[in-house]
Amino acid sequence: DNIDNNYENICYNFIKYYNNLWDTNFPLIGNLFSNNIKITFLNNRYSSIIPLIVYLKNNNIWYFNHSSVSSNSQPLDNDTILI
């Protein structure tokens, strides 16, 4: 079964899992990122996880609480999803 038939469910479950990591294991989340990330947080763009973690700690942000999952996704080929 390729992802074309199930990509929305795959995407939803991935984001739910990923958000749970931010909510429950934030101090260790940096291990999941490569050196070439692109994250936008409060309209600031980060290309590395370390400056983001420094920003969060300097602003006393110690945890997250994701309460909903929403996304846009589309299959790119038989084994790749754009989220």
Side-chain angles (χ1 to χ4, degrees), residues 15-30 32 62-67:
I15 292 174
K16 190 173 174 182
Y17 171 79
Y18 185 75
N19 286 352
N20 185 58
L21 287 177
W22 278 89
D23 296 347
T24 62
N25 202 6
F26 178 72
L28 300 177
I29 198 85
L32 298 177
W62 301 105
Y63 66 92
F64 292 88
N65 184 9
H66 292 88
S67 60

Side-chain angles (χ1 to χ4, degrees), residues 7-16 18 69-76 80-83:
Y7 74 92
E8 290 176 336
N9 189 43
I10 293 168
C11 176
Y12 173 85
N13 285 318
F14 172 78
I15 292 174
K16 190 173 174 182
Y18 185 75
V69 173
S70 64
S71 68
N72 294 318
S73 61
Q74 67 183 34
L76 296 179
T80 307
I81 301 173
L82 177 63
I83 299 174

Side-chain angles (χ1 to χ4, degrees), residues 26-64:
F26 178 72
L28 300 177
I29 198 85
N31 295 329
L32 298 177
F33 292 99
S34 70
N35 292 331
N36 299 318
I37 66 164
K38 290 183 172 55
I39 293 180
T40 301
F41 182 74
L42 296 177
N43 296 320
N44 295 309
R45 294 184 180 182
Y46 298 91
S47 58
S48 170
I49 193 67
I50 301 303
L52 174 57
I53 291 173
V54 169
Y55 171 84
L56 296 171
K57 287 182 179 180
N58 287 344
N59 287 280
N60 294 317
I61 300 171
W62 301 105
Y63 66 92
F64 292 88

